[in-house]
Amino acid sequence: MGDAMDYSSEEETDISESEIEEYEDKVYEELKKGNKELKVSDEKYTCPYCPKKRKRDYLYKELLQHASGIGGGNSKKRRAREKANHLALAKYLQNDEQVEASPAKQVSPLSGCDHDELFVWPWIGIVVNIPTVLKDGRYAGESGSRLRDELRARGYNPKRVHPLWNFKGHSGTAVVEFNKDWLGLSNALSFEKAYDLDNHGKKDWLSKNSEKCGLYAWVARADDYNSPGIIGEHLRKIADLKTISDMIAEENRKTNKLVSSLATVLEDKNKSLREIESRFSETSMSLDQLMGERDKLHQAYTEEIKKIQLSARDHFQKIFNDHEKLKLQLESEKKELELRGQELEKREAQNESERRKLMEDIEKNALKNSSLQHAAMVQQQADENVLKLAEEQKRQKEELHKKIMQLQSQLDTKQALELEIEQMRGAVNVMKHVGDEGDMEVIEKVDKMLKDLREKEGELEELEVLNQTLIVKERRSNEELVEARKELVNGLKEMSNRANIGVKRMGELDNTPFHEACKRKYPGELAEDKAVELCSLWEEYLRDPEWHPFKVIKLEGEGKHQEVISDEDEKLRSLKHEWGDEAYKAVTTALMEINEYNPSGRYIITELWNNKEGRKATLVDGVTFILNKWKASKHKRGTD
């Protein structure tokens, strides 16, 4: 009763439009203090500012729409105080009461609808009594976008508002289009209910008992769709009639179809997933197996690399040790040569000293001989000297005779002959000195020796010329033989190695024993790869000039020396122990060939070879072989 009395007293005095905002704040504070009762129950609300309404129970959303509609409406029948009260109520509901209103407890607008009632679909609302103004003979009204914004602000979320026009202009009506889904229908029914609660629904519009003021609105149904006039014509153009049951059934059919399609797709996906899982399992097992094999191969490779590295390290250490030994040996030989050089220099100086002493003695003897002519006191001594000189002369004669015989037997040696000539000249000088004493026999012998000496010198010159001519001819013949041998080797390269005479690459390593040994130790392609690796390694060893696994031995009974393979070489011993006798034989054969044919260069050379006898072929062997081939070919052509 208190609220009614307050309300009646307030209705007696109204406020101006400029005081609406101030009064709204005042009423909002009263609502916050709890001076007005809003809730009837947990879900139902009442409007404290509309006591005359016949239906006073609202849902939360309905009351909010009611308050927003009256507070924001443009109706002239509404007083300013009534608008301010409802604006304050809408503000309170939005700011202070909406947290308490649980969305789970809100009743769906579809719950009170008749599911068999025909609605216009897509969902459409109808708005009538829109204010219009006559301008230039045609009616004009507000645009649909403004009304759409007002409806959106009130929470109805229309898609668009379409005013209806006829030949007179704006008809004062408009259709409101909502979304096609259930949320659109919910917004449309809330839109209808709000206007119906505000006594501006369809029944109120069709009633003839009251004056029409403000907008009237409702949701389009079958009677609107089939009605004559501009509204019915527009609805029939853009929409159809459907019941909620039809929509639910159609939606269920679509849902079932979608569920069936999704089930089929899910089954296909599950099937594909099982196949993928199976393939993944197989691939995973195969991958695990491959990873295990890879680990084994990696371990074997690592162990083999370690062995090779150890072998290479031992090999390099052996080379280093051999190098140090050779270095020490060379240093020793160098010192020995230096000592020999110094000794030779001393001997040369000693010979020079003796020669000078001899010249001095000769000069002294000449002085003594001259003094014999003037002093009789020394005649006896002079006679003794003559006897001594005679004995020396006899001895020198015998030596000269031997020298002459030796020169006659060694005319082909120029240096020996020249040496003998010099010796003979020295002897002639001595005989001349002795001949001064009057020995005619000696003088004649000296003359004869001078004559023979000139003849020997002439013969020596002739032999020298002949020797030079023979050397030139021999050089040319050797060059021609070398060229002929090269051409013969190039020609026989294209022929089969099974022939008696062929070409052999001296120092080339035979790979067959390595391949056979690797096949015994490794399977398949791994054996081939390992054999290639081993062959490459030993070919590098063979080309290494610092590796010299030889020793020098003295041949019994011949007094000669010969180089043979050293049994103490670590590389060869390791090769024989690890890869067998055949591989060892292949490497040692290549070593012997390189040492014999190209010890300094250490590279492979081609040589004419007698395959039948296993030796180096002579040029005669090669030419004979070619002639026999040519004769056989000629005979064969003649037979054909």
Side-chain angles (χ1 to χ4, degrees):
M1 292 293 295
D3 290 343
M5 292 177 64
D6 292 340
Y7 180 78
S8 300
S9 62
E10 287 175 356
E11 284 184 345
E12 295 176 357
T13 60
D14 197 5
I15 60 175
S16 63
E17 292 290 335
S18 61
E19 296 175 340
I20 288 179
E21 184 174 354
E22 182 180 355
Y23 191 75
E24 177 188 350
D25 295 336
K26 179 181 177 182
V27 175
Y28 176 66
E29 293 296 329
E30 290 179 356
L31 289 171
K32 288 178 67 176
K33 292 177 181 179
N35 295 335
K36 300 290 183 180
E37 293 184 3
L38 297 179
K39 281 192 174 183
V40 179
S41 65
D42 291 340
E43 298 180 359
K44 298 293 185 178
Y45 293 80
T46 185
C47 179
Y49 304 111
C50 298
K52 296 180 180 180
K53 300 285 182 176
R54 287 177 297 176
K55 186 176 181 181
R56 299 186 55 180
D57 295 340
Y58 300 90
L59 296 174
Y60 171 81
K61 189 174 181 181
E62 293 173 350
L63 181 59
L64 178 61
Q65 291 174 348
H66 165 74
S68 300
I70 294 177
N74 295 324
S75 176
K76 295 180 180 180
K77 293 174 63 177
R78 305 289 182 187
R79 294 189 302 168
R81 186 185 297 275
E82 185 178 3
K83 290 182 179 180
N85 289 333
H86 283 82
L87 286 173
L89 177 60
K91 184 176 180 181
Y92 176 75
L93 290 173
Q94 289 176 346
N95 297 340
D96 301 282
E97 190 69 21
Q98 64 175 359
V99 177
E100 299 178 7
S102 174
K105 296 182 180 180
Q106 295 292 327
V107 180
S108 173
L110 300 181
S111 60
C113 295
D114 184 3
H115 286 197
D116 295 327
E117 185 178 7
L118 288 171
F119 285 87
V120 175
W121 187 84
W123 320 117
I124 293 177
I126 299 173
V127 180
V128 297
N129 202 32
I130 299 174
T132 58
V133 179
L134 183 65
K135 290 183 180 180
D136 300 330
R138 288 177 62 84
Y139 288 99
E142 294 182 355
S143 65
S145 59
R146 182 175 179 182
L147 181 58
R148 178 199 63 197
D149 295 339
E150 290 180 1
L151 294 176
R152 284 181 177 175
R154 294 172 65 179
Y156 304 128
N157 298 319
K159 288 176 62 178
R160 65 178 63 86
V161 175
H162 183 67
L164 300 180
W165 297 71
N166 55 20
F167 67 94
K168 294 181 180 180
H170 199 296
S171 64
T173 59
V175 293
V176 181
E177 298 180 10
F178 295 92
N179 291 323
K180 296 180 180 181
D181 53 11
W182 296 117
L183 181 61
L185 176 60
S186 176
N187 290 329
L189 292 176
S190 298
F191 158 79
E192 181 184 55
K193 197 168 187 178
Y195 277 94
D196 191 34
L197 291 174
D198 198 27
N199 295 325
H200 281 72
K202 185 176 182 180
K203 291 181 180 180
D204 298 312
W205 173 252
L206 296 177
S207 175
K208 298 181 180 180
N209 297 330
S210 61
E211 182 181 357
K212 306 299 184 293
C213 180
L215 300 179
Y216 291 78
W218 61 90
V219 176
R221 290 174 173 80
D223 54 347
D224 300 304
Y225 184 85
N226 295 320
S227 66
I230 191 170
I231 294 177
E233 292 177 0
H234 183 75
L235 292 177
R236 288 190 290 274
K237 288 180 182 179
I238 65 170
D240 295 321
L241 291 175
K242 289 186 179 181
T243 65
I244 294 177
S245 300
D246 294 337
M247 294 293 294
I248 293 173
E250 182 178 357
E251 189 175 74
N252 289 335
R253 284 195 301 275
K254 291 181 179 178
T255 303
N256 292 334
K257 185 176 180 181
L258 178 61
V259 169
S260 176
S261 175
L262 290 176
T264 304
V265 172
L266 182 61
E267 182 64 27
D268 294 338
K269 296 294 183 183
N270 289 332
K271 185 177 179 181
S272 300
L273 180 60
R274 289 193 293 272
E275 293 177 357
I276 291 171
E277 288 176 348
S278 176
R279 288 199 297 270
F280 173 77
S281 178
E282 294 175 359
T283 305
S284 180
M285 292 177 61
S286 176
L287 182 61
D288 292 339
Q289 185 177 0
L290 288 175
M291 289 299 291
E293 293 178 359
R294 187 190 71 84
D295 292 339
K296 291 180 181 179
L297 289 175
H298 180 70
Q299 184 177 0
Y301 172 77
T302 304
E303 293 176 356
E304 192 63 29
I305 287 297
K306 287 181 179 178
K307 290 181 180 179
I308 293 174
Q309 288 176 349
L310 289 174
S311 177
R313 185 176 64 186
D314 295 341
H315 167 65
F316 290 137
Q317 186 64 36
K318 181 66 169 56
I319 291 175
F320 178 76
N321 294 336
D322 293 344
H323 177 71
E324 289 296 325
K325 290 179 181 178
L326 290 174
K327 185 177 178 181
L328 294 174
Q329 185 177 355
L330 289 175
E331 289 292 335
S332 176
E333 291 179 356
K334 181 181 177 182
K335 291 180 180 179
E336 185 178 354
L337 289 174
E338 289 177 353
L339 292 174
R340 289 183 180 180
Q342 293 175 1
E343 185 177 353
L344 289 174
E345 289 178 356
K346 291 179 180 178
R347 288 182 181 180
E348 184 178 359
Q350 187 177 359
N351 291 335
E352 182 67 22
S353 176
E354 290 178 356
R355 188 182 65 82
R356 290 178 180 175
K357 186 176 181 180
L358 180 61
M359 292 298 295
E360 291 176 356
D361 291 341
I362 292 172
E363 291 177 357
K364 288 179 181 180
N365 289 332
L367 291 173
K368 288 179 180 180
N369 290 332
S370 61
S371 64
L372 288 175
Q373 296 176 359
H374 304 283
M377 295 294 294
V378 294
Q379 183 65 40
Q380 185 178 357
Q381 187 178 358
D383 292 338
E384 291 176 359
N385 289 334
V386 169
L387 290 174
K388 291 179 181 180
L389 287 173
E391 291 176 0
E392 184 69 22
Q393 178 186 3
K394 184 178 180 180
R395 187 180 62 80
Q396 289 180 356
K397 283 180 182 181
E398 292 175 357
E399 290 178 359
L400 286 174
H401 181 70
K402 291 179 181 180
K403 296 291 184 182
I404 290 170
M405 294 303 293
Q406 187 177 1
L407 286 173
Q408 289 177 354
S409 63
Q410 297 179 353
L411 288 176
D412 55 342
T413 307
K414 177 183 176 181
Q415 293 179 352
L417 187 58
E418 289 177 350
L419 181 61
E420 295 295 335
I421 290 171
E422 290 297 327
Q423 291 177 352
M424 289 174 66
R425 285 177 179 171
V428 168
N429 290 330
V430 174
M431 288 183 180
K432 281 183 178 181
H433 177 70
V434 176
D436 291 337
E437 300 296 326
D439 192 347
M440 295 304 295
E441 184 181 354
V442 173
I443 294 172
E444 290 177 0
K445 189 67 175 178
V446 169
D447 291 338
K448 185 178 180 181
M449 287 178 64
L450 289 174
K451 184 178 180 181
D452 290 340
L453 181 60
R454 294 189 187 95
E455 289 177 359
K456 296 298 182 184
E457 288 178 348
E459 291 177 3
L460 179 61
E461 291 178 359
E462 291 177 0
L463 286 173
E464 214 175 295
V465 173
L466 179 60
N467 187 36
Q468 290 296 327
T469 304
L470 291 175
I471 288 172
V472 172
K473 288 184 178 182
E474 183 184 8
R475 187 176 298 166
R476 290 178 181 174
S477 298
N478 287 336
E479 291 176 355
E480 291 175 357
L481 289 174
V482 170
E483 291 297 326
R485 194 176 186 88
K486 285 183 180 179
E487 291 298 325
L488 190 59
V489 168
N490 292 332
L492 290 175
K493 280 182 181 179
E494 305 298 329
M495 301 184 67
S496 173
N497 289 333
R498 296 180 181 178
N500 292 337
I501 304 299
V503 175
K504 184 177 181 182
R505 291 167 57 84
M506 308 307 292
E508 185 177 30
L509 181 63
D510 185 7
N511 298 335
T512 305
F514 288 95
H515 285 274
E516 295 298 329
C518 288
K519 286 179 181 178
R520 291 193 295 269
K521 294 185 68 173
Y522 300 99
E525 295 182 357
L526 183 60
E528 293 297 325
D529 296 340
K530 187 63 180 177
V532 172
E533 182 180 346
L534 280 174
C535 292
S536 300
L537 178 64
W538 280 100
E539 284 175 356
E540 290 181 6
Y541 287 161
L542 289 173
R543 305 297 171 264
D544 186 3
E546 295 184 0
W547 184 46
H548 193 75
F550 293 96
K551 63 181 181 179
V552 179
I553 62 173
K554 184 175 182 181
L555 299 177
E556 295 181 2
E558 298 182 9
K560 295 182 180 179
H561 293 79
Q562 183 180 359
E563 272 191 326
V564 296
I565 299 294
S566 175
D567 297 333
E568 302 300 324
D569 186 74
E570 292 296 332
K571 289 183 183 178
L572 295 178
R573 291 175 63 183
S574 175
L575 172 67
K576 188 174 183 179
H577 174 72
E578 188 172 357
W579 300 105
D581 294 336
E582 295 298 326
Y584 174 81
K585 184 178 179 182
V587 173
T588 53
T589 302
L591 271 172
M592 292 299 293
E593 290 176 354
I594 286 180
N595 195 47
E596 180 180 356
Y597 288 93
N598 189 17
S600 59
R602 281 291 186 110
Y603 56 84
I604 296 173
I605 62 173
T606 54
E607 184 58 76
L608 196 63
W609 195 256
N610 190 324
N611 296 318
K612 184 177 181 181
E613 300 178 7
R615 62 172 175 80
K616 179 178 177 181
T618 62
L619 191 60
V620 175
D621 293 338
V623 173
T624 303
F625 176 73
I626 294 296
L627 287 175
N628 291 337
K629 283 283 186 182
W630 176 74
K631 288 178 182 180
S633 177
K634 183 177 180 182
H635 177 70
K636 186 177 180 180
R637 288 199 301 269
T639 304
D640 295 340

